[in-house]
Amino acid sequence: QVRLVESGGGLVQAGGSLRLSCAASGRTFSSYAMGWFRQAPGKEREFVAAISWTGSSTYYSESVKGRFTISRDNAKNTVSLQMNSLKPEDTAVYYCAAVRSWNSATYYARNYDYWGQGTQVTVSS
């Protein structure tokens, strides 16, 4: 069992930065790859970024590549998402999630085992 709690969301102007954090409970955190997803009103939940168990590999969606950076600290059971050059279209509820596998399935929300409650990110123009 893994419990995930996100923090760090808020309101920021376009071009600004935010750093999201996700704290995980449980001693098996390093056994899970971690992902960030987001969901805007009226839209499906979409993949943002993922990081492998050790942090040696990462995936990003094309819409955030070069602007967002995912990282993890297995000693502290945390995963972070540094978001730079934010755009109004980045506005959404952001969720962190845990998954056992590290392959193409990592892009799909349906494959994840555990989810946080989400944190709101609002980017004003």
Side-chain angles (χ1 to χ4, degrees):
Q1 186 79 12
V2 178
R3 182 170 178 263
L4 304 171
V5 180
E6 301 96 336
S7 62
L11 173 64
V12 64
Q13 288 188 334
S17 299
L18 280 176
R19 185 177 180 86
L20 305 184
S21 294
C22 176
S25 65
R27 294 177 291 178
T28 59
F29 177 71
S30 60
S31 300
Y32 289 85
M34 298 297 296
W36 285 95
F37 288 77
R38 66 187 182 187
Q39 188 166 19
K43 295 187 176 182
E44 293 187 355
R45 193 167 297 190
E46 67 169 344
F47 171 80
V48 175
I51 189 166
S52 62
W53 311 280
T54 62
S56 59
S57 297
T58 55
Y59 295 148
Y60 294 94
S61 69
E62 287 299 319
S63 62
V64 307
K65 195 174 292 184
R67 299 188 297 123
F68 291 11
T69 302
I70 189 171
S71 61
R72 69 187 295 163
D73 185 337
N74 286 345
K76 295 182 179 180
N77 280 14
T78 59
V79 59
S80 299
L81 185 69
Q82 177 67 41
M83 306 185 295
N84 298 329
S85 302
L86 282 161
K87 304 175 181 180
E89 51 263 44
D90 294 318
T91 295
V93 177
Y94 283 71
Y95 300 88
C96 71
V99 64
R100 286 282 194 183
S101 60
W102 183 250
N103 51 39
S104 59
T106 309
Y107 288 102
Y108 301 101
R110 64 178 179 267
N111 295 317
Y112 281 70
D113 302 297
Y114 300 103
W115 291 84
Q117 83 289 349
T119 185
Q120 176 70 47
V121 172
T122 303
V123 184
S124 63
S125 57

